[in-house]
Coordinates of all heavy atoms in Angstrom, one line a residue:
E1 N -31.1 -64.1 -100.1 CA -31.4 -65.6 -100.1 C -32.6 -65.8 -100.9 O -32.6 -66.8 -101.7 CB -31.6 -66.1 -98.7 CG -30.3 -66.0 -97.8 CD -30.6 -66.4 -96.4 OE1 -31.8 -66.8 -96.1 OE2 -29.7 -66.4 -95.5
V2 N -33.7 -65.0 -100.8 CA -34.9 -65.2 -101.6 C -34.6 -65.0 -103.1 O -35.0 -65.8 -103.9 CB -35.9 -64.1 -101.2 CG1 -37.1 -64.1 -102.2 CG2 -36.5 -64.4 -99.8
S3 N -33.7 -64.1 -103.4 CA -33.4 -63.8 -104.8 C -32.7 -65.0 -105.5 O -32.8 -65.2 -106.7 CB -32.5 -62.6 -105.0 OG -31.2 -62.8 -104.5
E4 N -32.1 -65.8 -104.6 CA -31.4 -67.0 -105.2 C -32.3 -68.2 -105.3 O -32.0 -69.2 -106.0 CB -30.2 -67.4 -104.2 CG -29.2 -66.4 -104.0 CD -28.2 -66.2 -105.2 OE1 -27.5 -67.2 -105.4 OE2 -28.3 -65.2 -105.9
E5 N -33.5 -68.1 -104.8 CA -34.4 -69.2 -104.8 C -35.6 -69.1 -105.7 O -36.2 -70.1 -106.1 CB -35.0 -69.4 -103.3 CG -33.9 -69.7 -102.3 CD -34.5 -69.6 -100.9 OE1 -35.7 -69.1 -100.8 OE2 -33.8 -69.9 -99.9
V6 N -36.0 -67.9 -106.1 CA -37.2 -67.7 -106.8 C -37.0 -67.4 -108.3 O -35.9 -67.2 -108.7 CB -38.0 -66.5 -106.1 CG1 -38.4 -66.8 -104.7 CG2 -37.2 -65.2 -106.2
H7 N -38.1 -67.4 -109.0 CA -38.0 -67.2 -110.4 C -38.3 -65.7 -110.8 O -38.0 -65.3 -111.9 CB -39.1 -68.1 -111.1 CG -38.8 -69.5 -111.0 ND1 -37.7 -70.2 -111.5 CD2 -39.5 -70.5 -110.3 CE1 -37.8 -71.5 -111.1 NE2 -38.9 -71.7 -110.4
F8 N -38.8 -64.9 -109.9 CA -39.1 -63.5 -110.2 C -37.8 -62.7 -109.8 O -37.0 -63.1 -109.0 CB -40.3 -63.0 -109.5 CG -40.3 -63.2 -108.0 CD1 -39.6 -62.4 -107.1 CD2 -41.0 -64.2 -107.4 CE1 -39.6 -62.6 -105.7 CE2 -41.1 -64.5 -106.1 CZ -40.3 -63.6 -105.2
G9 N -37.7 -61.5 -110.4 CA -36.6 -60.6 -110.1 C -36.9 -59.9 -108.8 O -38.1 -59.9 -108.3
L10 N -35.9 -59.4 -108.1 CA -36.0 -58.7 -106.8 C -35.1 -57.5 -106.8 O -33.9 -57.6 -107.2 CB -35.7 -59.7 -105.7 CG -36.0 -59.2 -104.3 CD1 -36.3 -60.4 -103.4 CD2 -34.9 -58.4 -103.7
K11 N -35.7 -56.4 -106.4 CA -34.9 -55.2 -106.3 C -35.3 -54.4 -105.1 O -36.5 -54.6 -104.6 CB -34.9 -54.3 -107.6 CG -36.3 -53.7 -107.8 CD -36.3 -52.9 -109.1 CE -37.6 -52.2 -109.4 NZ -37.8 -51.1 -108.5
T12 N -34.5 -53.5 -104.6 CA -34.9 -52.7 -103.5 C -35.0 -51.2 -104.0 O -34.4 -50.8 -105.0 CB -33.8 -52.7 -102.4 OG1 -32.6 -52.3 -102.9 CG2 -33.8 -54.1 -101.8
T13 N -35.8 -50.5 -103.3 CA -36.0 -49.0 -103.6 C -35.6 -48.3 -102.3 O -36.0 -48.6 -101.2 CB -37.4 -48.7 -104.0 OG1 -37.8 -49.5 -105.1 CG2 -37.6 -47.2 -104.3
E14 N -34.8 -47.2 -102.5 CA -34.3 -46.4 -101.4 C -33.5 -47.3 -100.4 O -33.5 -47.0 -99.2 CB -35.4 -45.6 -100.7 CG -36.1 -44.6 -101.6 CD -35.2 -43.5 -102.1 OE1 -34.0 -43.4 -101.6 OE2 -35.6 -42.7 -102.9
A15 N -32.8 -48.3 -100.9 CA -31.9 -49.1 -100.1 C -30.8 -49.6 -101.0 O -30.7 -50.9 -101.1 CB -32.7 -50.3 -99.4
P16 N -30.0 -48.7 -101.5 CA -28.9 -49.2 -102.4 C -27.9 -50.1 -101.8 O -27.2 -50.8 -102.4 CB -28.3 -47.9 -103.0 CG -28.7 -46.9 -101.9 CD -30.0 -47.3 -101.4
H17 N -27.8 -50.0 -100.4 CA -26.8 -50.9 -99.8 C -27.2 -52.4 -99.8 O -26.4 -53.2 -99.4 CB -26.6 -50.5 -98.3 CG -27.7 -50.0 -97.5 ND1 -28.6 -49.0 -97.9 CD2 -28.2 -50.4 -96.3 CE1 -29.5 -48.8 -97.0 NE2 -29.3 -49.7 -96.0
Y18 N -28.4 -52.7 -100.4 CA -28.7 -54.1 -100.7 C -27.7 -54.7 -101.6 O -27.3 -55.8 -101.5 CB -30.1 -54.2 -101.3 CG -30.5 -55.6 -101.8 CD1 -30.6 -56.6 -100.9 CD2 -30.7 -55.8 -103.1 CE1 -30.9 -57.9 -101.4 CE2 -31.0 -57.0 -103.6 CZ -31.1 -58.1 -102.8 OH -31.4 -59.3 -103.2
R19 N -27.1 -53.8 -102.5 CA -26.1 -54.3 -103.4 C -24.9 -54.7 -102.7 O -24.2 -55.7 -103.0 CB -25.9 -53.2 -104.5 CG -27.1 -52.9 -105.4 CD -26.7 -52.1 -106.6 NE -26.5 -50.7 -106.2 CZ -27.5 -49.8 -106.2 NH1 -28.7 -50.1 -106.4 NH2 -27.2 -48.5 -105.9
R20 N -24.5 -53.9 -101.7 CA -23.3 -54.3 -100.9 C -23.6 -55.6 -100.1 O -22.7 -56.5 -100.1 CB -23.0 -53.2 -99.8 CG -22.0 -53.6 -98.8 CD -21.8 -52.6 -97.7 NE -23.0 -52.3 -97.0 CZ -23.5 -53.0 -96.0 NH1 -23.0 -54.2 -95.7 NH2 -24.6 -52.7 -95.4
V21 N -24.7 -55.7 -99.5 CA -25.1 -56.9 -98.8 C -25.0 -58.1 -99.7 O -24.4 -59.2 -99.3 CB -26.5 -56.8 -98.1 CG1 -26.9 -58.1 -97.5 CG2 -26.4 -55.7 -97.0
S22 N -25.6 -58.0 -100.9 CA -25.6 -59.1 -101.8 C -24.1 -59.5 -102.2 O -23.8 -60.7 -102.3 CB -26.4 -58.8 -103.1 OG -27.8 -58.7 -102.8
M23 N -23.3 -58.5 -102.5 CA -21.9 -58.7 -102.8 C -21.2 -59.4 -101.7 O -20.4 -60.4 -101.9 CB -21.2 -57.4 -103.2 CG -21.8 -56.8 -104.5 SD -21.2 -55.2 -104.9 CE -19.5 -55.5 -105.3
E24 N -21.4 -59.0 -100.5 CA -20.8 -59.6 -99.3 C -21.2 -61.1 -99.2 O -20.4 -62.0 -98.9 CB -21.1 -58.8 -98.1 CG -20.3 -57.5 -98.0 CD -20.7 -56.7 -96.8 OE1 -21.8 -56.9 -96.2 OE2 -19.9 -55.8 -96.4
Q25 N -22.5 -61.3 -99.4 CA -23.1 -62.7 -99.3 C -22.4 -63.6 -100.4 O -22.1 -64.7 -100.1 CB -24.6 -62.7 -99.5 CG -25.3 -62.0 -98.4 CD -25.3 -62.7 -97.0 OE1 -24.4 -62.5 -96.2 NE2 -26.2 -63.7 -96.9
E26 N -22.3 -63.1 -101.6 CA -21.7 -63.8 -102.6 C -20.2 -64.1 -102.4 O -19.6 -65.1 -102.7 CB -21.9 -63.1 -104.0 CG -23.4 -63.2 -104.4 CD -23.6 -62.5 -105.7 OE1 -22.6 -62.1 -106.4 OE2 -24.8 -62.3 -106.1
R27 N -19.5 -63.1 -101.8 CA -18.1 -63.3 -101.4 C -18.0 -64.4 -100.4 O -17.1 -65.2 -100.5 CB -17.5 -62.0 -100.9 CG -16.1 -62.2 -100.3 CD -15.4 -60.8 -100.1 NE -16.1 -60.0 -99.2 CZ -15.8 -58.7 -98.9 NH1 -14.8 -58.2 -99.5 NH2 -16.5 -58.0 -98.0
E28 N -18.8 -64.4 -99.4 CA -18.8 -65.5 -98.4 C -19.0 -66.8 -99.0 O -18.3 -67.8 -98.7 CB -19.8 -65.2 -97.3 CG -19.5 -64.0 -96.4 CD -20.6 -63.8 -95.4 OE1 -21.5 -64.7 -95.3 OE2 -20.5 -62.8 -94.7
S29 N -19.9 -66.9 -100.0 CA -20.2 -68.2 -100.6 C -19.0 -68.6 -101.5 O -18.6 -69.8 -101.5 CB -21.4 -68.0 -101.5 OG -22.6 -67.8 -100.8
A30 N -18.4 -67.6 -102.2 CA -17.2 -67.9 -103.0 C -16.0 -68.4 -102.1 O -15.3 -69.3 -102.4 CB -16.8 -66.7 -103.8
D31 N -15.9 -67.7 -100.9 CA -14.8 -68.1 -100.0 C -15.0 -69.5 -99.5 O -14.1 -70.3 -99.4 CB -14.7 -67.1 -98.9 CG -14.1 -65.8 -99.3 OD1 -13.5 -65.7 -100.4 OD2 -14.3 -64.8 -98.5
E32 N -16.3 -69.8 -99.2 CA -16.6 -71.2 -98.6 C -16.3 -72.2 -99.7 O -15.9 -73.4 -99.4 CB -18.0 -71.2 -98.2 CG -18.3 -70.4 -96.9 CD -19.7 -70.4 -96.5 OE1 -20.5 -71.0 -97.3 OE2 -20.1 -69.7 -95.5
A33 N -16.6 -71.9 -100.9 CA -16.4 -72.9 -102.0 C -15.0 -73.1 -102.4 O -14.6 -74.2 -102.7 CB -17.2 -72.4 -103.3
S34 N -14.2 -72.0 -102.3 CA -12.8 -72.1 -102.8 C -11.8 -72.1 -101.6 O -10.7 -72.6 -101.8 CB -12.5 -70.9 -103.7 OG -12.6 -69.7 -102.9
D35 N -12.2 -71.7 -100.4 CA -11.3 -71.6 -99.3 C -10.1 -70.8 -99.7 O -9.0 -71.1 -99.3 CB -10.9 -73.0 -98.8 CG -10.4 -72.9 -97.4 OD1 -10.7 -71.9 -96.6 OD2 -9.6 -73.8 -97.0
D36 N -10.3 -69.8 -100.5 CA -9.1 -69.0 -101.0 C -9.2 -67.6 -100.5 O -10.0 -66.8 -101.0 CB -9.2 -69.0 -102.6 CG -8.0 -68.3 -103.2 OD1 -7.1 -67.8 -102.4 OD2 -8.0 -68.1 -104.4
E37 N -8.4 -67.3 -99.5 CA -8.5 -66.0 -98.9 C -7.9 -64.9 -99.8 O -8.2 -63.7 -99.6 CB -7.6 -66.0 -97.6 CG -8.3 -66.8 -96.5 CD -9.6 -66.3 -96.1 OE1 -9.7 -65.0 -95.9 OE2 -10.5 -67.1 -95.9
S38 N -7.2 -65.3 -100.9 CA -6.7 -64.2 -101.8 C -7.8 -63.5 -102.5 O -7.5 -62.4 -103.1 CB -5.7 -64.9 -102.8 OG -6.5 -65.8 -103.6
D39 N -9.0 -64.0 -102.5 CA -10.1 -63.3 -103.2 C -10.6 -62.1 -102.4 O -11.4 -61.4 -102.9 CB -11.2 -64.3 -103.4 CG -12.2 -63.8 -104.4 OD1 -11.8 -63.2 -105.4 OD2 -13.4 -63.9 -104.1
R40 N -10.2 -61.9 -101.2 CA -10.7 -60.8 -100.4 C -10.0 -59.5 -100.8 O -8.8 -59.5 -101.1 CB -10.5 -61.0 -98.9 CG -11.3 -62.2 -98.4 CD -11.2 -62.3 -96.9 NE -11.9 -63.4 -96.4 CZ -13.2 -63.3 -96.1 NH1 -13.9 -62.2 -96.3 NH2 -13.9 -64.4 -95.6

């Protein structure tokens, strides 16, 4: 959520599953916007 709001870049170290979490968050946002279950 912070990464979507700020002007600086954000990355994690020794937590590569942050990429999974971000992808899941974006999927939820895409689903809410499109209400299209076929994207899962």
